Amino acid sequence: MFIDYNAQYRQIQNLINESDAQRRGYRFEQLIRETLPWNHRPPISSLGTSEQHDAYFVWEGRDYIVESKAKRGKIMRGSADWKDFELKVRKRHGQVSGIFASLYEVSSDIFEAVNDLSKQGMFVAIIDKEIWKALINTQLGLDRYIEYVMRSLKLRHAFDPSETSRIKEFFRDRTQSRAALLQKLRPISAQFLRRYKMDLHEKIYVARSFDEMIRQRCATFKPSNLNWTKPKRKNDGSSFSAHRLPERQIVMLRDVSGAGKTTSAVHLALNQDEQIISICRTASDPSIDQLSDELLAIGPDYGLDHLISVDGTLLYIVDSLDEAEYLSGSRRTVISLNKTLLTLNEYAATRRLAKFPIVLVYTLRDEHWRNWESVFEGADVQNHQNRFSFFDNTELRQAIQNYSS
């Protein structure tokens, strides 16, 4: 999907001079739908039994509803234009996010209303005349703008339109943060990859459902999803705040010998996206519990500021626990690593995060689990068994294709 934002912005700006109100409104709605980012399916208008949405779309796993207003004059918080849209958002109790796009100005108290909504777990991005100007002047894509607003509302429960001109600088800083993390952490996996990465790994590897499950787990532990409190609702419609309980932070992958656990670990170590920083070691490596020191080498905050900047998660993989079973001190080393997780979570709590943004994955031959079970006593572990022993139909077709080429 490619969107020429500058061309779209110019067309939107030219509409300000359109005298025909009906044509102006129709064309504005159309241009908004063409300018919004999306995954899989472009934005469409949606008409329900009792309400209409100027656009509905899904982007980065989040559903959005859109209201487009091309009326001349400033839109006020008490106006029907805003109140009707706010009601649409409230009725969905945070299950969708909103975008309120106006060709002209909106009042400052609407931005205050947006900040208030975010404290209740409902998120809306406002785009008005001044923000359109800032997007044009900074040549900032609407996708970046929406991402930044949603991050700000989730993490700070606040967005000020004056920040728009600085968003590009924020994403430049994010690139630098990712580079700082990779510079310190990527070399840790080098020894593991030298030993276990096959020359044709990318061509023959078959993506498994476990890989996607791990990516989803990492998404759960992004800083923007780890706010200390989360709004809850009672049956009477009133709300209260409760501590968040994220998914389990330790994952244990158990399967038979030769099933592909190490190959999957190689794949996860190699295939990092913008929001996952992967580290992979063998369990026989005596330095697996030095993670705390390695993170402190990034900064006294264990690299948390950088992780917040990229809204990213550390994925720390310890492969083949069974091979370390009879090594002296191996159990103490694993216990020490699990304690490091507690230390990181305690620090994250001081930063108002429910957990530190890290997922810890161990792999193990299933028949050796009983020998390690006591080491993980008291730890909140998510066990996955026999996830690699067999291909499902889709994976089998892909495997035959890969292995035949």
Side-chain angles (χ1 to χ4, degrees):
M1 175 192 63
F2 171 76
I3 300 173
D4 186 344
Y5 287 111
N6 289 331
Q8 293 296 108
Y9 295 158
R10 284 195 295 272
Q11 292 185 69
I12 289 171
Q13 193 174 43
N14 289 339
L15 281 179
I16 292 176
N17 300 319
E18 173 61 57
S19 58
D20 187 325
Q22 186 174 2
R23 174 177 168 76
R24 184 173 65 242
Y26 172 78
R27 183 63 180 143
F28 185 58
E29 287 182 21
Q30 187 179 43
L31 284 170
I32 292 296
R33 286 194 290 270
E34 293 173 357
T35 310
L36 292 167
W38 51 273
N39 300 123
H40 310 303
R41 183 179 180 182
I44 58 172
S45 58
S46 172
L47 181 63
T49 56
S50 61
E51 60 185 18
Q52 178 180 345
H53 303 138
D54 294 333
Y56 164 80
F57 68 102
V58 179
W59 182 55
E60 300 299 327
R62 188 76 178 169
D63 294 66
Y64 290 84
I65 56 174
V66 180
E67 188 80 10
S68 304
K69 295 295 179 184
K71 289 182 178 179
R72 285 204 167 101
K74 183 182 289 188
I75 298 177
M76 309 302 291
R77 183 171 183 174
S79 68
D81 293 324
W82 168 253
K83 291 177 71 175
D84 289 348
F85 182 66
E86 182 178 358
L87 181 60
K88 293 177 185 179
V89 173
R90 287 187 178 278
K91 283 168 59 177
R92 287 160 176 80
H93 303 297
Q95 297 303 306
V96 301
S97 296
I99 295 177
F100 188 84
S102 174
L103 187 58
Y104 299 96
E105 283 186 84
V106 304
S107 64
S108 59
D109 54 2
I110 287 183
F111 287 94
E112 293 173 8
V114 166
N115 294 341
D116 291 339
L117 282 170
S118 72
K119 295 170 186 175
Q120 302 170 54
M122 293 169 279
F123 307 103
V124 176
I126 302 291
I127 317 169
D128 74 345
K129 181 179 179 180
E130 294 305 312
I131 290 177
W132 289 120
K133 286 181 182 178
L135 294 177
I136 292 169
N137 292 336
T138 59
Q139 297 187 352
L140 181 71
L142 192 59
D143 54 347
R144 292 295 203 193
Y145 172 77
I146 295 172
E147 180 184 349
Y148 179 88
V149 172
M150 293 299 161
R151 278 173 53 98
S152 297
L153 293 174
K154 286 182 178 182
L155 288 170
R156 300 188 284 118
H157 300 307
F159 173 73
D160 189 299
S162 65
E163 298 176 44
T164 308
S165 60
R166 303 192 298 272
I167 293 178
K168 205 162 190 176
E169 182 180 340
F170 164 82
F171 282 103
R172 190 180 301 116
D173 291 343
R174 187 170 79 166
T175 301
Q176 293 171 352
S177 287
R178 178 170 170 77
L181 290 166
L182 290 176
Q183 181 183 12
K184 293 291 185 180
L185 299 178
R186 178 173 281 175
I188 296 173
S189 303
Q191 185 182 71
F192 174 83
L193 292 173
R194 280 198 303 269
R195 290 180 179 177
Y196 298 106
K197 179 183 178 295
M198 294 179 290
D199 291 339
L200 299 177
H201 174 87
E202 291 84 356
K203 292 185 178 180
I204 66 174
Y205 184 75
V206 178
R208 315 300 294 273
S209 58
F210 178 79
D211 302 333
E212 182 59 27
M213 185 278 291
I214 289 296
R215 289 191 179 89
Q216 293 297 327
R217 183 65 55 93
C218 288
T220 301
F221 280 89
K222 293 193 303 183
S224 62
N225 290 330
L226 291 172
N227 290 336
W228 184 250
T229 57
K230 179 181 180 181
K232 300 286 186 181
R233 285 168 188 82
K234 299 178 181 178
N235 292 333
D236 62 4
S238 61
S239 63
F240 64 96
S241 293
H243 292 310
R244 288 181 60 90
L245 294 174
E247 297 184 53
R248 291 170 179 170
Q249 210 166 7
I250 302 176
V251 176
M252 180 68 66
L253 175 59
R254 297 155 50 186
D255 214 319
V256 298
S257 177
K261 301 182 296 298
T262 296
T263 307
S264 177
V266 169
H267 183 74
L268 291 169
L270 289 172
N271 289 273
Q272 308 183 48
D273 60 28
E274 284 193 2
Q275 295 179 309
I276 299 178
I277 309 293
S278 300
I279 307 168
C280 200
R281 281 181 161 128
T282 59
S284 58
D285 185 340
S287 60
I288 62 170
D289 64 338
Q290 293 180 10
L291 178 63
S292 177
D293 294 334
E294 289 158 347
L295 293 177
L296 285 171
I298 300 173
D301 63 344
Y302 300 98
L304 184 56
D305 280 340
H306 286 311
L307 288 169
I308 290 173
S309 177
V310 301
D311 198 23
T313 306
L314 289 179
L315 175 60
Y316 192 60
I317 307 163
V318 179
D319 185 54
S320 302
L321 275 178
D322 47 277
E323 294 183 5
E325 190 169 314
Y326 300 109
L327 294 179
S328 175
S330 60
R331 282 172 169 74
R332 288 195 300 272
T333 303
V334 172
I335 291 172
S336 175
L337 176 57
N338 290 343
K339 287 182 178 177
T340 295
L341 203 59
L342 297 177
T343 300
L344 294 174
N345 288 338
E346 288 171 358
Y347 176 74
T350 68
R351 300 287 300 273
R352 305 297 297 168
L353 296 179
K355 294 286 184 69
F356 194 88
I358 183 172
V359 173
L360 179 55
V361 177
Y362 291 97
T363 74
L364 172 70
R365 286 162 60 185
D366 195 28
E367 62 268 26
H368 289 257
W369 169 242
R370 293 300 176 194
N371 300 330
W372 284 93
E373 191 172 12
S374 62
V375 173
F376 291 89
E377 186 175 357
D380 196 12
V381 180
Q382 177 72 58
N383 275 288
H384 290 274
Q385 293 176 263
N386 302 322
R387 301 298 291 266
F388 286 85
S389 305
F390 303 96
F391 289 128
D392 64 26
N393 290 336
T394 302
E395 293 167 351
L396 179 59
R397 285 193 293 269
Q398 186 63 52
I400 292 172
Q401 180 180 333
N402 289 0
Y403 301 159
S404 300
S405 61

